[in-house]
Amino acid sequence: MNVSYLLEIDGILSVDGADAQPQGGGGSGGSVWIYCGIIKGYGKITANGGSSPPSSPSGGGGSGGRIAVYFKQNDTFSYFRCESF
């Protein structure tokens, strides 16, 4: 996203990978690229990898994706969260 002024996120922006089916591995998380002047809100951005079935010998969990956020001003201070597992 390329936002010229204000980006407000109060929900969940998610690019998580899908969980595995019985015979495969979990999908990897996607990527988020944000450039804005001001960012605010109490939302969350996630790019987590999908899990593997506990009893499946054929696949593992997917890797986390990438989150890049570039801004000039953060109006919510420590409440804004990003995570990637």
Side-chain angles (χ1 to χ4, degrees):
M1 288 187 254
N2 191 358
V3 179
S4 60
Y5 183 65
L6 172 66
L7 174 64
E8 185 168 359
I9 300 175
D10 282 322
I12 297 174
L13 175 60
S14 174
V15 292
D16 294 347
D19 291 338
Q21 298 300 312
Q23 296 299 319
S28 63
S31 63
V32 174
W33 184 90
I34 295 174
Y35 179 86
C36 61
I38 299 172
I39 192 165
K40 67 184 271 187
Y42 296 95
K44 181 168 67 169
I45 300 172
T46 64
N48 300 318
S51 64
S52 65
S55 61
S56 174
S58 62
S63 65
R66 180 174 183 266
I67 299 172
V69 181
Y70 303 94
F71 55 87
K72 295 178 184 175
Q73 181 178 331
N74 179 358
D75 279 358
T76 55
F77 304 102
S78 63
Y79 296 104
F80 191 79
R81 299 182 302 168
C82 294
E83 66 180 44
S84 177
F85 297 104

